[in-house]
Amino acid sequence: MFSDHIRHFLKRIKSPGAVWVMASGVLTAAAIIYPRFGLLAWVSLIPYFLTLYQNTDPENGKRPLFRTGFLFGLSFYLPLFSFFCALYPLDSAGLSPMEALAVVLLALFGLSALYSLPHALLPCALRLLQKRGIRRQRTLLTPLSIAALWILAEWLDSQTCLGMPWGRLAVSQYRLTLLIQSASLLGSCFVSFLIALFNALLAQGIRQHFQQEIMDENGMAPKSAVMKEESAGNSPLKNTPSNKRKHEKHCGIICILCAAVLFLGNLLYGLISMNIEPEPTETISVAIVQGNLSTSEKWGDGGELLSLEHYLNMTRELSTEEDADLIVWTESCIPVVLNGYPEISQQIAETAMDCNAVILVGAYYYDGTNHYNAVYAFYPDGTVSDQPYCKRRLVAFGEYMPRSAILESLVPTLAELNLMQSAFTPGTDSAIFSTDFGAVGGLVCFDGVFEAPALSSVRDGAELLALLSNDAWYDSSYAVSNLLGHAVLRAVENGRSVVRGANTGISAVIDAKGRIQTESNLRTAEVIRGEVSLYSHRTLYSCVGNLWELICLLYVLGLLVPVRKKTA
C-alpha cells in the first residue's frame, strides 16, 4: 500500500514542476525557523533533490537548471529573511516611513536573490559532474556530489561583506543535541553535509527503487538507453529491461540503507559523545543581567545614564543573593566610549568589588584613531582590563557602510543608513580576559554567527566563551532563536561552555555539549543564573578548523578532472 503511494507520487513528478522545488525550499526554511521541527530538515530536501536527479540526467536533454536552483533559493531564503520586517520603521536611522519600507523590501528581496545565486549554480555544477560520468555505475557519487556542492553553496553565502551563514542546515538541529555532536569533529558544516547527504541518498534510493515508473507503460526501457546499450555492444541477455529494473531497485535499496546507516551512525556518535565528559579546569557560577531596554531608551537623550543605572541596580541585587564568579551584561548596554568616561568606569568597578565578581560590559572603545564595538572586563579588585575585546564581525549597514562611495552615488538612502550613527572598525585579535578562575574569550553578537572568532579564541587559550549581544533590532522574530542556535553550535564545535547575554533575550547558559542549561524569556528584564565548567582540552574541530569545506571543494574539483581511458 505504501509502495503504491510512492509510485503514484513519482509518476506525478516524472517532470517535476516548480511547486515541488518551492515546497522543498519553504519546508527546509521552516525547519530552521521552528527548531522544534528540526527533524524536518532530514527529509525536506527530498522533493528538490528528486527534481535535480530528473533535470540533470543527461538522457533527459536540456532542463532549466539555473532557474530551478534559483527558485529553490528564493523559496528558501525569503522566509529566512522575513525578520527584516521586524526592523520597520527604522526610527533610529532617521528615515521616513516610505524610505524605511523601501529599505526593508530591498533587504528582504535583494539579499534573498543574492543568497540564491550559489544555490542556482548547484544544479549547473551537478549537470557538469554528470557529464563527467559520476552517474554511470557509481550509485553513491551523485548524492555525495550534491552534499559537497551544498556545503560549497553554504560557504559562498558567508563570503563578501554582505555574507552571513544564516541558512545553515545545522542551525535547525540546535535543539536536537544528540544530532549535532559531530560538529566537534569537523564543524557545523559537517552536520549540514550529513543532512544534505541523507536527503540526497533517500531521493536517489526512492528514484532508483521505483525506476519502473520512468519506463514506459509496456515495461520497455527508454529508446535512448536501448540505443546506448546496442552501440556499446552489450549483451541483450544481460541488459534486458527486466534485469535493468532489478539492478536499479538493488541500487535504490543500497542508497536507502546507506542513509539509514548515516543517520544512525551520527546518532550513535552523539550518544557516545554525550557520555564522555572531559575533566574541567574549573567550575564557576555565572549570572546574566538582561536589561530589556528598547533601542529608543538606550540611544535617546540621557540613554547612557538610564542604561547604566538600570544595569547597576540589577547587578547590585546579586550581592545580596548567592555569589556569582562571573556577571555578564549585554552588547553596548553602556552606549558610550567607555574609556573616555572614567566616572562611569569607576561606578562599574565599584560594583564589581561589591559583588566580588568579574563583570563583562558591552560598550564602545576608541583607540585614538578608530571606534570599536567592545567588551570590557571589570575585576573584583576594582581594575579594568588593559585591552577590551573588539568585535571582529561587523554588521553591514548597522556598524559600517560597505562600499560607501559607490552606495552614495547609486542609492543615497542606503548610504545614509547606519543604525549606530558611526562607523566601527573590526577588531583583529581575540583579546582573552585573564581571571582568577581561567581564561575567558569575548564575543559580540555577529561574532557568534561565524565560526572563525570563537575558533581563534579557543586556539588562543579561551577556556570559556562569553557572547554579548543586542537583539532588540529583531523584536520577537525568529532571528533571536537563530542567533541562539549559532551560539549552541559554537559550544559544540569548540568544546567550550558559552554564556550568552542578550539585551532583550534570549540570554542563555550553554554547556560544552550544546545543552542549554537555562535561558531567559524574551522581552523581560531578568537575571538568570547557572554553573559552567571551564575546559582546556581541544576538540578535533578546534585543531583542524574548517577542513571539511576544503575537502568538499577538492572532491568536486577531483571529479572535474578528466580521466584518460587506458587503451589496449
Side-chain angles (χ1 to χ4, degrees):
M1 189 66 179
F2 178 73
S3 179
D4 291 338
H5 285 301
I6 296 293
R7 290 192 181 94
H8 179 65
F9 170 75
L10 286 176
K11 193 172 183 179
R12 291 183 62 186
I13 63 169
K14 183 178 178 180
S15 298
V19 63
W20 294 110
V21 175
M22 294 174 64
S24 190
V26 171
L27 288 175
T28 307
I32 296 175
I33 294 173
Y34 304 104
R36 61 181 177 277
F37 300 133
L39 284 175
L40 180 62
W42 291 85
V43 294
S44 61
L45 290 169
I46 291 177
Y48 175 49
F49 289 165
L50 282 171
T51 305
L52 288 188
Y53 288 131
Q54 180 78 1
N55 288 0
T56 58
D57 190 338
E59 295 181 2
N60 290 333
K62 293 185 177 181
R63 294 297 178 102
L65 301 179
F66 185 89
R67 186 176 66 189
T68 299
F70 190 75
L71 184 62
F72 170 83
L74 277 181
S75 60
F76 177 56
Y77 278 108
L78 277 173
L80 290 183
F81 287 138
S82 62
F83 70 84
F84 280 115
C85 298
L87 299 180
Y88 185 82
L90 290 169
D91 293 329
S92 59
L95 302 180
S96 68
M98 288 304 298
E99 289 176 332
L101 179 61
V103 168
V104 169
L105 292 178
L106 178 61
L108 175 60
F109 291 98
L111 285 180
S112 296
L114 177 65
Y115 279 58
S116 297
L117 291 178
H119 290 276
L121 296 175
L122 190 154
C124 304
L126 182 62
R127 178 60 181 267
L128 182 60
L129 294 178
Q130 294 280 31
K131 289 183 177 180
R132 293 292 186 184
I134 65 170
R135 179 176 175 271
R136 200 165 46 248
Q137 303 300 328
R138 297 165 185 163
T139 302
L140 299 179
L141 278 188
T142 301
L144 281 170
S145 300
I146 290 178
L149 290 170
W150 182 279
I151 294 307
L152 295 181
E154 284 194 349
W155 177 80
L156 286 173
D157 282 342
S158 63
Q159 302 308 300
T160 77
C161 59
L162 296 178
M164 58 178 175
W166 206 256
R168 289 279 172 93
L169 291 178
V171 182
S172 65
Q173 308 298 297
Y174 84 87
R175 295 283 183 181
L176 305 173
T177 313
L178 288 176
L179 297 179
I180 60 173
Q181 295 307 305
S182 51
S184 64
L185 299 176
L186 294 165
S188 59
C189 68
F190 183 62
V191 178
S192 293
F193 177 86
L194 295 179
I195 297 172
L197 180 58
F198 183 83
N199 278 273
L201 284 170
L202 284 184
Q204 175 94 321
I206 291 171
R207 178 175 166 78
Q208 289 190 313
H209 186 67
F210 300 99
Q211 187 70 22
Q212 64 267 36
E213 293 295 342
I214 302 175
M215 305 294 182
D216 62 21
E217 294 180 358
N218 296 322
M220 300 298 293
K223 292 183 179 180
S224 60
V226 174
M227 293 175 64
K228 285 185 177 181
E229 289 168 5
E230 291 178 352
S231 63
N234 292 329
S235 169
L237 295 176
K238 292 183 180 180
N239 293 281
T240 62
S242 177
N243 287 341
K244 191 175 182 66
R245 287 197 296 271
K246 288 181 180 179
H247 175 71
E248 293 288 349
K249 278 191 171 185
H250 178 69
C251 291
I253 292 174
I254 290 176
C255 286
I256 294 174
L257 288 176
C258 286
V261 171
L262 179 75
F263 183 84
L264 293 176
N266 186 49
L267 182 63
L268 178 62
Y269 177 79
L271 286 169
I272 295 173
S273 178
M274 295 289 285
N275 285 283
I276 299 177
E277 294 284 350
E279 188 68 26
T281 58
E282 187 67 74
T283 298
I284 64 172
S285 59
V286 297
I288 303 172
V289 181
Q290 180 173 298
N292 192 40
L293 293 177
S294 66
T295 301
S296 59
E297 288 177 307
K298 282 178 59 176
W299 280 283
D301 291 338
E304 66 278 3
L305 297 178
L306 170 66
S307 184
L308 173 65
E309 193 62 30
H310 183 61
Y311 273 86
L312 286 177
N313 288 336
M314 293 183 69
T315 303
R316 284 166 182 155
E317 293 177 3
L318 292 171
S319 61
T320 62
E321 303 173 5
E322 185 180 353
D323 292 338
D325 300 298
L326 176 66
I327 300 174
V328 176
W329 289 8
T330 63
E331 178 192 7
S332 64
C333 59
I334 310 300
V336 298
V337 177
L338 194 53
N339 58 315
Y341 286 80
E343 65 279 7
I344 294 180
S345 295
Q346 182 62 32
Q347 293 185 63
I348 302 175
E350 291 174 356
T351 303
M353 294 175 65
D354 293 340
C355 296
N356 193 31
V358 176
I359 302 180
L360 299 184
V361 178
Y364 306 141
Y365 173 67
Y366 181 63
D367 64 358
T369 304
N370 300 308
H371 286 85
Y372 300 89
N373 191 352
V375 177
Y376 294 78
F378 289 85
Y379 297 104
D381 61 2
T383 61
V384 62
S385 54
D386 295 331
Q387 177 64 42
Y389 168 78
C390 298
K391 184 178 181 180
R392 287 173 278 180
R393 295 300 304 228
L394 301 179
V395 180
F397 303 107
E399 295 174 309
Y400 78 104
M401 300 305 300
R403 306 292 187 268
S404 56
I406 299 176
L407 281 174
E408 188 173 354
S409 60
L410 296 178
V411 191
T413 299
L414 277 183
E416 297 172 2
L417 178 62
N418 192 338
L419 299 181
M420 292 295 184
Q421 306 302 321
S422 62
F424 289 121
T425 300
T428 57
D429 57 66
S430 55
I432 304 297
F433 299 123
S434 178
T435 71
D436 290 340
F437 48 78
V440 179
L443 300 171
V444 179
C445 193
F446 242 41
D447 286 334
V449 178
F450 295 85
E451 299 98 333
L455 176 61
S456 66
S457 292
V458 171
R459 286 177 170 176
D460 288 340
E463 299 170 285
L464 171 70
L465 296 175
L467 173 58
L468 281 65
S469 187
N470 176 30
D471 305 338
W473 313 104
Y474 307 117
D475 196 26
S476 298
S477 69
Y478 94 94
V480 295
S481 64
N482 189 286
L483 292 170
L484 174 63
H486 282 283
V488 170
L489 292 177
R490 302 295 86 80
V492 179
E493 287 171 347
N494 298 287
R496 295 294 185 269
S497 302
V498 176
V499 182
R500 184 178 194 271
N503 174 35
T504 57
I506 304 170
S507 300
V509 177
I510 307 164
D511 73 7
K513 297 295 183 180
R515 292 170 292 205
I516 300 176
Q517 303 295 325
T518 181
E519 62 184 292
S520 67
N521 297 306
L522 268 175
R523 293 289 175 181
T524 59
E526 60 178 304
V527 175
I528 64 171
R529 291 176 169 276
E531 286 195 353
V532 295
S533 295
L534 281 70
Y535 298 96
S536 59
H537 77 287
R538 297 277 291 274
T539 62
L540 177 62
Y541 172 77
S542 65
C543 295
V544 303
N546 293 317
L547 177 64
W548 190 250
E549 294 174 349
L550 178 61
I551 291 175
C552 289
L553 176 61
L554 294 177
Y555 168 80
V556 172
L557 293 178
L559 292 177
L560 291 175
V561 175
V563 179
R564 293 183 180 180
K565 295 182 179 180
K566 294 182 179 180
T567 56

